[in-house]
Amino acid sequence: MAIERAAVPQTYAAAVERYLTGAGIADSSVRIYRISLTTWGWMLRGERAPTGPARRRATPPPFGLAAIDDPGLPPVLAELAAARADEMDADTVNREVSIARKAIGWWQAQGWIEADPTIGVERRPVPPREKGLTKPQIAALWALEASLREKTFWLLLYESAARAEEILRLNVEQLSPADKRGRVVSEGGTPEWIHWRSGTARLLPRLVAGRAHGPLFLTDRKAPARTPVPDTCPTTGRARLSYRRAEQIFEESTRLLANPLAGPEDFAGLEGWTLHRLRHAVPTHDAQDGTPPGTSRNATRPPGGNRA
């Protein structure tokens, strides 16, 4: 049912708040919607919107909601949106356009405005998604606060390009720290060497902490009585870290990195990155850096074909 014209919000900011509280938007989405609509406030006023970190803190100059009905606004808005699209990724731009159009449609349904100035704004084609994380995403991951176990595991996965399951099957006695390599068994049962770099080499001694045998990556608690002996550390009594748990930790740890517009209060409704994407960052980055395929990141069979 349309709201009486007397109830029309006088400012754009007030209309945004009325929309966020009255349109049935999920609580987990309100913050992202508010950021997007605040950004669009600049463009609906005919000005360039801020980008980068300043975007979250910026508040558009106040203006009346009626300005949206200005017949001269659509071409100006289309030009501003196109310029913004050149500076932002397609997913972000398209999400912002979608949110703006939902809000404008809701305001029209209330009888507050008549026009839709986004008529000339085009959605941007989304390029094929890379499997791997980008270099900026990897840099953000390394800056994340995490335990020694997680930091070592993530770095070893990235530096070796080995499968996560293979790395989690590593035992301390299978490591050759001086050579920066370790012996794993591939999916097909073939013993192979995985290689790592200086980052992993610096962390491994702290993780091993004097242990000579047993699983390299351990759980935080004592192993249950039913845990097989090969999956139990003889020194600490803790169990081998499972893939399921390692994946869960990585996904939860990266939720805010994967959703830069979200905040801690949105955490429960977000999805983070996968270990698969971390591993597949390696070939992309090596190609960008000019590293030939088949170099030290790739697994090789042990000399002489010796079996584990």
Side-chain angles (χ1 to χ4, degrees):
M1 180 176 178
I3 297 175
E4 297 291 337
R5 289 299 279 182
V8 176
Q10 294 303 301
T11 67
Y12 172 77
V16 168
E17 293 306 315
R18 293 280 289 276
Y19 169 65
L20 295 176
T21 57
I25 298 171
D27 291 343
S28 59
S29 300
V30 166
R31 185 172 182 275
I32 294 176
Y33 272 56
R34 180 177 286 111
I35 292 174
S36 293
L37 291 173
T38 298
T39 297
W40 268 73
W42 291 85
M43 295 190 292
L44 289 169
R45 183 182 162 85
E47 301 180 21
R48 288 178 64 91
T51 58
R55 178 169 178 254
R56 293 193 182 193
R57 299 186 298 271
T59 301
F63 65 96
L65 185 63
I68 292 179
D69 282 331
D70 183 344
L73 179 59
V76 174
L77 186 62
E79 184 176 342
L80 289 170
R84 179 172 176 76
D86 291 337
E87 301 175 354
M88 306 286 288
D89 65 273
D91 281 332
T92 299
V93 169
N94 291 339
R95 180 173 59 245
E96 290 181 347
V97 172
S98 177
I99 290 173
R101 283 177 172 158
K102 287 178 182 178
I104 288 170
W106 192 82
W107 295 332
Q108 286 176 319
Q110 312 312 306
W112 298 349
I113 59 174
E114 296 180 359
D116 179 0
T118 70
I119 193 69
V121 178
E122 298 179 356
R123 290 177 60 86
R124 288 295 170 125
V126 178
R129 296 184 182 276
E130 293 182 353
K131 286 186 178 180
L133 299 175
T134 65
K135 285 187 175 182
Q137 288 173 330
I138 289 294
L141 178 64
W142 300 153
L144 196 65
E145 290 188 12
S147 70
L148 174 62
R149 180 188 66 189
E150 268 60 68
K151 285 184 177 180
T152 308
F153 175 56
W154 300 342
L155 194 54
L156 178 53
L157 181 62
Y158 176 74
E159 290 189 345
S160 69
R163 296 172 59 85
E165 297 92 333
E166 294 173 343
I167 292 176
L168 292 170
R169 287 198 296 266
L170 271 172
N171 285 348
V172 175
E173 63 270 22
Q174 295 171 321
L175 305 180
S176 180
D179 300 322
K180 296 181 183 176
R181 65 179 183 174
R183 189 173 58 184
V184 300
V185 178
S186 69
E187 267 192 324
T190 303
E192 297 177 339
W193 290 108
I194 62 169
H195 302 260
W196 53 81
R197 298 183 178 182
S198 57
T200 300
R202 286 193 297 268
L203 296 178
L204 275 176
R206 294 169 53 197
L207 182 70
V208 172
R211 292 184 288 129
H213 300 280
L216 175 60
F217 294 99
L218 302 172
T219 58
D220 295 325
R221 299 179 179 179
K222 295 288 185 180
R226 64 181 181 278
T227 305
V229 173
D231 292 329
T232 304
C233 174
T235 304
T236 66
R238 289 184 284 157
R240 187 186 303 276
L241 182 66
S242 69
Y243 177 87
R244 179 179 178 181
R245 178 58 179 153
E247 180 76 282
Q248 179 186 23
I249 293 171
F250 186 69
E251 189 274 330
E252 291 180 352
S253 299
T254 58
R255 286 184 185 180
L256 294 180
L257 297 183
N259 299 274
L261 297 183
E265 64 274 18
D266 307 316
F267 185 83
L270 304 177
E271 292 185 4
W273 296 328
T274 64
L275 292 173
H276 187 72
R277 290 194 65 192
L278 173 57
R279 180 197 177 215
H280 278 281
V282 175
T284 301
H285 298 176
D286 279 350
Q288 293 172 349
D289 295 338
T291 303
T295 55
S296 62
R297 282 190 191 249
N298 302 317
T300 57
R301 294 189 178 187
N306 295 330
R307 291 193 168 273

